[in-house]
Amino acid sequence: MKVRGIRGAITVDVNEKQPILQATIELLNGIVQENGILPEDICSVMITVTHDLDAAFPAAAIRQLSDWELVPLMCALEVPVKGSLERCIRFLLHVNTDKTQAEIKHVYLGGAQVLRPDLSKT
């Protein structure tokens, strides 16, 4: 079994607590479903937000989910590059899996599809 990284991102329309938490759960569910993983498979989750999302910690939404209380979560501020995508939440999950790198499915939702159009579903 290897440790693989799974990336994902989603945008939020407004800087408000509930939309941030809901988008976090939507992205997490998408990654989990696309890759068939369980919380116990996850080594850690790194979450970044752009500077314009300061109404909530995205990790707070995940900590409320059943079976996720032991998964290490970390939130950080995304590098504020001029002209970069606004109101964006990004994930990097480190997962124990037998899947190859090519079998991993990265998930980009909403406006974040522009970050990786090659990996986004249309």
Side-chain angles (χ1 to χ4, degrees):
M1 189 166 289
K2 299 192 187 261
V3 176
R4 300 279 186 205
I6 303 176
R7 288 293 319 259
I10 190 169
T11 51
V12 181
D13 292 332
V14 293
N15 181 28
E16 295 175 4
K17 182 177 180 176
Q18 286 309 313
I20 291 169
L21 299 179
Q22 289 169 349
T24 299
I25 296 303
E26 181 181 351
L27 179 58
L28 180 68
N29 286 338
I31 291 171
V32 166
Q33 290 171 1
E34 285 291 322
N35 291 282
I37 54 178
L38 301 171
E40 66 187 42
D41 298 329
I42 300 172
C43 303
S44 63
V45 181
M46 180 68 182
I47 306 162
T48 66
V49 295
T50 49
H51 71 282
D52 48 7
L53 292 179
D54 62 2
F57 289 106
I62 299 171
R63 287 190 184 103
Q64 302 304 313
L65 298 174
S66 180
D67 299 326
W68 285 84
E69 44 287 309
L70 298 178
V71 176
L73 308 170
M74 176 67 73
C75 291
L77 191 61
E78 185 68 31
V79 177
V81 175
K82 290 180 184 176
S84 63
L85 186 61
E86 297 178 348
R87 294 184 311 274
C88 187
I89 301 169
R90 292 174 172 89
F91 280 14
L92 174 58
L93 283 76
H94 299 99
V95 179
N96 292 311
T97 183
D98 289 323
K99 292 183 179 187
T100 66
Q101 195 76 349
E103 293 172 315
I104 296 295
K105 295 179 181 141
H106 306 280
V107 177
Y108 291 83
L109 303 173
Q113 292 180 10
V114 301
L115 297 172
R116 290 299 305 263
D118 56 320
L119 300 177
S120 301
K121 293 182 177 181
T122 55

